[in-house]
């Protein structure tokens, strides 16, 4: 040691002591930290850049099942669950490539005896000055309990989602901007979507019910501002184009006391509304039904009576009254029988009498039925009561009237036949003789065309068609052979509701008397006509070749024919050249009379005779001119005397 070094030694000794103390302190700290690392339950691993273990603390024995020295130089991936191994290797390489410094990942670690631990790895990656990876430090926290809790939570969530998805109500939740965060299966069905992912982030304006979106979002804002809103009945347009009715409840969606959105629950009440409408309609029908409707409990105490039933019996109210108390005493046994039959499942209809408030009786046609609850237990009775008091009175009047009508019919001497619209015999009544063309068993239920003689059948069907067409009474006569003699009948056919009634009267005696009387009248008339012809149209020869016929009175078509016949016969019989027709006694000459005279003149001309017309008054002359009669076929003279003079002059 030279002199200078000796001189510096006292100076360096304090520094040396201080440095030695620092080294001892560092060694103590290092030993302390090493002891902490070695004794901790947390797994600490040091890896090289290839992922091989360069250091591991004693926790390796508990986690891997191997002492630390058996773990060194082995890849960390050897201890990771095979299903997580490939993913770990890929992530490790990716972290190195991205120059990550701190990463966190989860994986399963397999113990030597097969047990499995869930670990949360926190890894620090180290690099040199050139940026090349050198090593990595890993700390593994046991999260098995957390994983189990997470699994239980996931199972709970799955179970909750399953419950929510199987609820009949649609459930949804939104954020504060009314964007959907989720919904159950029924909500997805209404929205026409297949999964929750398709609805997240969308608003009502993106849904099939966009026409109602503004109202929905207004409700959302009101709920978030003022609290829950319940029993909102509103329409919703579905994805299939149909519209349903919902009853919606909305409440604020909270997180840590803060409103973060809206939770909604919707119940499809379309069917409920339909049933309510049907119930309202049913109640309206019952309340306004003309028949009395009552409901009684199993003790036969009335719990409901419609206005018609109350008015029928004249009470202010029937509620709470016992049914036996308002039944006629003579019908109580019938009431008991009806109740027993109804309890056995029958629905009897009986005529029964009630007692009005004033003590009078009202007769009703009652239909009764049992009322059961959803379990099939009898809970009461219902009855529908129709007042038939007036109907019974009417029926009695009809019965009396029918008896009277039958007596009247029995007194009518006519045959009667009832036919349907097709001509089928339905019923009959004989006259006093009891004679029928065909026995009843051969014509009842058969058509007239099949049982009557053809001429008569044709006559019946012709008038049957006419009465159906015109609805007017048809009358006709017919003759048949009955008991080997011809019988005359006069028939009248009338409508009887949808059927046809034929009344046929035997008029054989009357017709025989009429024929005899008519024959006698015809003989008298013929004799009278012969005498009248001679008196009304006398023909007189007044000179050789000259005949005269004075005409007196009115000339009709028959007399005009007689004039012509007598005139022509006289001309032919007397070989007359001139025939004088004197109409001095005819007061009126019209077109018909003028035509008859002209035809007589024309016919005489054909026989070679000339007709001289005499006795024309001024009035008749004016009439003949007015009606335009042509007189070329005749010679006109004012008087019969002048006509005779003219005829004789012509003969000379």
């Amino acid at each position: 040691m030279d002199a200078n070094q000796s001189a510096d030694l006292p100076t360096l000794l304090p520094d040396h002591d201080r440095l030695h103390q620092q080294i001892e302190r560092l060694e103590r700290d290092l030993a302390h930290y090493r002891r902490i690392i070695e004794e901790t339950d947390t797994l600490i691993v040091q890896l090289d850049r290839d992922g091989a273990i360069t250091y591991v603390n004693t926790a390796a024995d508990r986690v891997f099942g191997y002492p630390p020295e058996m773990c060194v130089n082995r890849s960390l991936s050897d201890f990771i669950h095979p299903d997580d191994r490939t993913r770990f290797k890929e992530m490790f390489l990716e972290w190195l490539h991205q120059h990550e410094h701190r990463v966190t990942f989860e994986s399963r670690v397999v113990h030597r005896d097969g047990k499995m631990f869930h670990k949360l790895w926190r890894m620090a990656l180290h690099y040199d000055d050139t940026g090349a990876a050198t090593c990595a430090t890993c700390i593994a926290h046991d999260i098995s309990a957390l994983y189990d809790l997470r699994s239980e939570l996931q199972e709970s969530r799955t179970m909750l989602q399953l419950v929510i998805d199987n609820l009949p109500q649609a459930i949804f939740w939104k954020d504060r901007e009314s964007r959907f965060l989720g919904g159950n299966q029924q909500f997805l069905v209404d929205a026409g979507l297949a999964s929750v992912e398709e609805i997240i982030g969308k608003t009502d304006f993106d849904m099939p019910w966009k026409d109602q979106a503004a109202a929905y979002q207004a409700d959302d804002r009101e709920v978030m501002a003022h609290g829950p809103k319940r029993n909102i009945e509103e329409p919703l347009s579905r994805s299939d184009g149909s519209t349903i009715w919902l009853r919606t409840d909305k409440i604020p969606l909270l997180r840590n006391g803060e409103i973060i959105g809206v939770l909604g629950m919707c119940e499809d009440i379309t069917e409920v509304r339909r049933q309510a409408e049907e119930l309202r309609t049913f109640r309206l029908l019952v309340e306004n039904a003309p028949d009395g409707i009552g409901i009684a409990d199993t003790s036969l105490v009335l719990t409901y009576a419609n206005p018609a039933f109350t008015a029928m019996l004249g009470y202010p109210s029937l509620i709470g009254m016992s049914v036996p108390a308002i039944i006629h005493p003579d019908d109580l046994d019938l009431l008991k029988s009806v109740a027993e039959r109804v309890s056995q499942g029958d629905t009897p209809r009986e005529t029964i009498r009630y007692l009005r408030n004033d003590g009078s009786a009202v007769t009703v046609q009652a239909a009764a039925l049992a009322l059961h609850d959803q379990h099939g237990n009898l809970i009461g009775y219902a009855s529908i009561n129709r007042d038939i008091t007036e109907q019974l009175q009417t029926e009695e009047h009809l019965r009396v009237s029918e008896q009277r009508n039958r007596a009247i019919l029995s007194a009518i001497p006519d045959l009667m036949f009832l036919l349907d619209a097709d001509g089928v015999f339905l019923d009959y009544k004989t006259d006093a003789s009891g004679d029928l063309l065909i026995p009843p068993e051969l014509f009842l239920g058969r058509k007239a065309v099949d049982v009557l003689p053809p001429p008569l059948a044709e006559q019946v069907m012709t008038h049957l068609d006419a009465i159906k067409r015109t609805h007017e009474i048809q009358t006709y006569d017919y003759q048949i052979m009955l008991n080997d003699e011809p019988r005359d009948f006069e028939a009248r056919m009338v409508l009887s509701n949808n059927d046809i009634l034929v009344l046929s009267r035997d008029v054989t005696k009357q017709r025989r008397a009429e024929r005899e009387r008519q024959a006698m009248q015809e003989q008298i008339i013929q004799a009278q006509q012969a005498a009248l012809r001679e008196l009304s149209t006398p023909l007189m020869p007044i000179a050789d070749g000259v005949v005269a016929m004075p005409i007196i009175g009115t000339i009709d078509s028959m007399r005009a024919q007689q004039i012509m016949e007598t005139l022509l016969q006289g001309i032919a019989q007397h070989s007359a050249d001139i025939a004088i027709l004197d109409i001095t006694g005819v007061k009126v000459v019209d077109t018909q009379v003028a035509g008859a005279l002209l035809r007589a003149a024309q016919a005489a001309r054909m026989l070679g005779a000339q007709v001289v017309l005499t006795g024309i008054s001024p009035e008749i002359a004016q009439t003949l001119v007015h009606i335009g009669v042509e007189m070329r076929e005749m010679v006109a003279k004012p008087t019969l005397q002048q006509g005779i003079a003219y005829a004789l002059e012509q003969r000379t």
Side-chain angles (χ1 to χ4, degrees):
M1 179 179 302
D2 54 19
N4 290 334
Q5 290 178 334
S6 298
D8 293 335
L9 185 58
T11 304
L12 293 175
L13 283 176
D15 293 336
H16 175 268
D17 292 339
R18 189 168 49 256
L19 181 60
H20 181 72
Q21 291 174 357
Q22 290 177 350
I23 291 173
E24 288 180 347
R25 188 168 56 253
L26 289 174
E27 287 179 348
R28 286 195 304 272
D29 292 343
L30 180 61
H32 174 70
Y33 291 131
R34 182 181 295 276
R35 186 168 60 254
I36 292 174
I37 291 174
E38 289 294 334
E39 294 178 356
T40 184
D41 289 339
T42 302
L43 179 68
I44 301 176
V45 181
Q46 185 81 19
L47 306 178
D48 63 14
R49 58 178 299 170
D50 297 322
I53 297 175
T54 58
Y55 168 80
V56 61
N57 65 351
T58 56
D61 194 14
R62 180 179 57 81
V63 176
F64 297 148
Y66 295 96
E69 58 273 14
M70 294 185 64
C71 299
V72 174
N73 296 325
R74 294 182 63 180
S75 174
L76 177 61
S77 62
D78 293 344
F79 302 99
I80 292 178
H81 192 282
D83 293 343
D84 299 340
R85 192 172 296 161
T86 301
R87 185 171 63 89
F88 166 71
K89 291 180 178 180
E90 292 173 351
M91 289 191 301
F92 186 73
L93 294 176
E94 181 67 19
W95 294 333
L96 295 179
H97 179 72
Q98 296 292 336
H99 281 77
E100 297 288 349
H101 290 274
R102 282 175 174 76
V103 295
T104 301
F105 67 96
E106 293 182 16
S107 72
R108 290 166 291 177
V109 174
V110 181
H111 193 272
R112 185 176 187 178
D113 60 7
K115 289 189 297 185
M116 186 172 61
F117 301 96
H118 289 271
K119 296 294 183 180
L120 174 65
W121 298 87
R122 299 185 184 277
M123 179 180 292
L125 292 97
H126 308 288
Y127 304 89
D128 60 16
D129 294 339
T130 63
T134 57
C135 62
T137 303
C138 305
I139 300 176
H141 301 279
D142 190 351
I143 59 170
S144 297
L146 179 62
Y147 184 83
D148 292 341
L149 182 61
R150 185 187 298 168
S151 298
E152 291 176 3
L153 180 60
Q154 183 62 36
E155 289 179 2
S156 297
R157 287 180 176 176
T158 302
M159 179 62 69
L160 178 61
Q161 188 66 43
L162 182 63
V163 171
I164 292 176
D165 283 341
N166 285 277
L167 288 174
Q169 296 89 355
I171 299 177
F172 62 88
W173 45 99
K174 304 177 183 178
D175 62 15
R176 293 190 63 87
E177 303 301 323
S178 289
R179 291 186 294 261
F180 286 102
L181 300 175
N184 69 344
Q185 190 62 37
Q186 183 59 48
F187 185 74
L188 296 178
V189 170
D190 291 338
L193 302 176
S195 65
V196 176
E197 288 72 18
E198 296 181 68
I199 199 172
I200 293 176
K202 294 183 178 180
T203 70
D204 292 298
F205 287 98
D206 302 317
M207 298 293 107
W209 50 83
K210 58 185 178 182
D211 292 340
Q212 295 96 26
Y216 293 168
Q217 292 194 358
D219 286 338
D220 295 343
R221 291 189 293 272
E222 184 176 350
V223 168
M224 287 186 287
H226 304 291
K229 193 172 183 181
R230 304 184 185 279
N231 298 323
I232 308 169
E233 292 193 6
E234 53 195 359
L236 180 132
S237 301
R238 304 182 70 176
S239 59
D240 59 4
S242 63
T243 299
I244 61 175
W245 279 88
L246 301 177
R247 180 183 292 122
T248 304
D249 292 339
K250 290 184 177 180
I251 61 175
L253 186 61
L254 302 176
R255 179 186 292 166
N256 298 327
E258 179 185 358
I259 297 176
I260 62 170
V262 174
L263 174 64
M265 290 155 284
C266 304
E267 180 182 4
D268 186 349
I269 60 169
T270 306
E271 182 63 19
V272 174
R273 285 176 64 93
R274 186 190 66 78
Q275 292 177 355
E277 181 63 23
E278 288 182 354
L279 182 60
R280 189 189 70 82
T281 302
F282 174 74
R283 178 173 289 276
L284 187 64
L285 290 174
V286 170
E287 290 290 321
N288 292 277
D291 294 336
I293 299 175
I295 298 176
D297 60 19
T298 54
S299 300
L300 295 181
V301 174
L302 286 167
T303 58
Y304 172 80
N306 72 339
F309 197 26
T310 303
M312 182 189 300
L313 300 186
Y315 286 92
S317 174
L318 292 173
I319 307 302
M321 295 188 66
S322 172
V323 176
I326 56 175
I327 293 292
H328 193 284
D330 295 342
D331 291 346
L332 289 175
D333 290 340
L334 178 58
L335 174 64
K336 181 179 179 182
S337 172
V338 168
E340 291 175 353
R341 291 167 58 189
V342 169
S343 300
Q344 295 169 2
D346 193 9
T347 54
R349 295 176 180 271
E350 295 289 350
T351 300
I352 197 166
R353 289 169 294 176
Y354 286 98
L355 293 177
R356 291 192 178 99
N357 191 21
D358 59 8
S360 62
V362 55
T363 305
V364 303
Q365 183 72 41
L369 66 155
L371 303 177
H372 299 88
D373 62 15
Q374 60 183 352
H375 304 295
N377 300 318
L378 180 68
I379 59 173
Y381 308 93
S383 66
I384 302 174
N385 306 274
R386 175 164 296 178
D387 186 349
I388 60 171
T389 305
E390 292 184 3
Q391 177 184 334
L392 292 177
Q393 294 173 352
T394 302
E395 289 177 354
E396 178 61 21
H397 293 159
L398 288 176
R399 186 184 63 81
V400 173
S401 176
E402 183 179 0
Q403 290 177 347
R404 183 171 59 251
N405 291 338
R406 286 186 179 275
I408 294 173
L409 288 175
S410 298
I412 295 176
D414 294 339
L415 277 165
M416 295 185 185
F417 299 96
L418 187 65
L419 291 76
D420 67 9
D422 296 323
V424 175
F425 286 99
L426 302 176
D427 201 357
Y428 77 100
K429 184 193 82 70
T430 63
D431 57 12
S433 70
D435 294 335
L436 291 172
L437 178 63
I438 307 169
E441 60 271 14
L442 296 182
F443 68 81
L444 286 178
R446 301 183 64 185
K447 286 188 176 182
V449 293
D450 297 331
V451 297
L452 295 179
L456 179 57
E458 181 179 357
Q459 197 174 11
V460 170
M461 296 307 295
T462 299
H463 288 286
L464 187 119
D465 291 339
I467 197 172
K468 289 192 295 185
R469 184 177 64 257
T470 65
H471 296 270
E472 295 178 355
I473 296 176
Q474 302 292 309
T475 60
Y476 58 94
D477 298 333
Y478 65 92
Q479 188 179 74
I480 58 173
M481 293 299 295
L482 194 60
N483 296 332
D484 298 327
E485 65 172 337
R487 301 275 286 273
D488 294 304
F489 290 88
E490 181 182 80
R492 296 183 305 282
M493 185 179 288
V494 296
L495 285 173
S496 176
N497 295 326
N498 295 325
D499 300 324
I500 292 92
L501 180 64
V502 180
L503 296 93
S504 183
R505 177 171 297 182
D506 188 344
V507 293
T508 304
K509 293 180 180 179
Q510 294 91 322
R511 293 296 165 81
R512 186 182 298 120
E514 288 176 1
R515 285 193 291 271
E516 293 174 354
R517 184 170 57 254
Q518 184 175 1
M520 185 178 294
Q521 287 177 347
E522 288 177 354
Q523 292 175 2
I524 295 172
I525 290 172
Q526 289 175 0
Q528 290 175 343
Q529 288 177 344
L532 288 173
R533 280 197 297 271
E534 294 179 358
L535 294 174
S536 62
T537 56
L539 185 71
M540 299 175 292
I542 59 174
D544 187 20
V546 179
V547 294
M549 179 182 289
I551 304 174
I552 300 172
T554 302
I555 301 175
D556 56 13
S557 59
M558 183 178 294
R559 191 175 181 199
Q561 184 66 27
Q562 291 176 355
I563 291 171
M564 182 179 291
E565 291 176 356
T566 303
L567 179 63
L568 295 179
Q569 289 176 359
I571 292 172
Q573 181 179 355
H574 298 286
S575 300
D577 296 324
I578 298 175
I580 300 172
L581 292 178
D582 182 57
I583 61 171
T584 304
V586 178
K587 300 302 181 182
V588 178
V589 175
D590 55 12
T591 304
Q592 181 178 352
V593 174
L597 295 175
L598 288 176
R599 287 192 296 273
Q602 292 171 351
R605 176 69 68 185
M606 292 181 182
L607 295 179
Q610 183 181 25
V611 175
V612 178
L613 185 63
T614 64
I616 302 176
S617 66
E619 293 81 6
I620 293 177
Q622 290 180 6
T623 301
L624 292 175
V625 171
H626 181 70
I627 63 178
V629 175
E630 296 289 340
M631 302 295 290
R632 288 192 300 267
E633 301 291 340
M634 295 179 291
V635 175
K637 296 298 180 181
T639 65
L640 177 60
Q641 184 179 359
Q642 291 176 339
I644 293 173
Y646 171 79
L648 294 176
E649 182 182 350
Q650 292 297 316
R651 289 294 296 167
T652 303

